[in-house]
Amino acid sequence: MHLFVYKCWLLLRSIFRPRITDFSAVVKHTYWVTPFDLDEYIHMNNARYLNYMELGRFDLVIRSGFFRYALRHNIMAPVVNTTIIYRRSLQCFQTFSVQNQLVYWDEHKLVVESVITRKGKLYCIALKELRMVQKGKAIPLDTVMLGMGIPLPELPFSRELIHDKQALIKQLLRHAEQKFEGKID
């Protein structure tokens, strides 16, 4: 129930925040672990990490204008694949940050990196692949972006790396550890 409240709050807040015109921008939110997030081991349930990551992606969808564009043109962007790595546990009442950023795209898919950190330490990283779908068929991403008026950015990961999932996971983890544990900016 509290995630529904977060989503409603995020929807209202996103409407009044500046529009995102750069898809390579990092969208960051801060939350705290509630007793409803805990599992039998008294730390945040693994599925809740994905729920909080999804809230950040929802903000990106609204503030970029995609949500409105998608409703008008009957387009969906379902998550078709998720790769997630858990590094540390979050305990009850701890605050944490969720950051979402587009890290790769091609003709039909987007890949969003979602990272959960606390006090500069990496707790969890996920890579989510999304497809643009209209009437049950994948549609070219360029068509959607042109319609929205947002150019696609230069991206940090190569096409070869994205298609080699194991190499990508290792590279993402190494990059996130360096980025969030003070080894690079």
Side-chain angles (χ1 to χ4, degrees), residues 8-22:
C8 290
W9 170 78
L10 192 61
L11 176 63
L12 290 173
R13 184 174 161 219
S14 296
I15 291 169
F16 297 105
R17 294 187 72 202
R19 185 166 189 246
I20 295 172
T21 57
D22 177 10

Side-chain angles (χ1 to χ4, degrees), residues 21-170:
T21 57
D22 177 10
F23 262 162
S24 65
V26 175
V27 177
K28 184 176 180 179
H29 296 277
T30 302
Y31 303 100
W32 58 279
V33 181
T34 70
F36 302 108
D37 296 324
L38 303 179
D39 63 12
E40 63 276 5
Y41 301 111
I42 318 300
H43 65 238
M44 190 155 87
N45 182 292
N46 292 349
R48 291 297 194 174
Y49 286 85
L50 287 167
N51 288 333
Y52 283 107
M53 290 174 174
E54 193 64 18
L55 289 172
R57 190 174 74 89
F58 184 60
D59 182 42
L60 180 63
V61 164
I62 293 169
R63 291 179 49 209
S64 68
F66 176 74
F67 188 66
R68 185 175 303 170
Y69 183 84
L71 286 176
R72 238 182 318 194
H73 294 90
N74 197 26
I75 296 172
M76 295 187 322
V79 174
V80 295
N81 189 8
T82 300
T83 303
I84 189 164
I85 299 170
Y86 300 96
R87 299 291 290 172
R88 294 178 173 85
S89 296
L90 286 166
Q91 306 303 317
C92 196
F93 304 116
Q94 288 183 322
T95 59
F96 61 95
S97 295
V98 179
Q99 298 180 36
N100 284 283
Q101 181 180 24
L102 178 66
V103 294
Y104 179 78
W105 59 272
D106 66 16
E107 186 179 347
H108 292 286
K109 72 179 170 195
L110 294 166
V111 179
V112 175
E113 175 190 73
S114 297
V115 179
I116 293 182
T117 60
R118 174 175 158 69
K119 295 184 177 182
K121 297 227 183 261
L122 178 66
Y123 276 66
C124 183
I125 182 169
L127 191 66
K128 296 176 279 185
E129 181 182 330
L130 297 90
R131 300 263 171 178
M132 296 292 166
V133 178
Q134 186 177 44
K135 297 179 183 173
K137 294 182 181 178
I139 59 171
L141 184 58
D142 290 344
T143 305
V144 174
M145 298 319 246
L146 284 173
M148 291 174 49
I150 296 178
L152 288 166
E154 290 289 323
L155 297 169
F157 297 105
S158 71
R159 177 180 301 266
E160 294 79 26
L161 186 62
I162 292 293
H163 292 293
D164 182 352
K165 296 284 187 195
Q166 279 204 305
L168 176 64
I169 292 166
K170 288 177 184 175

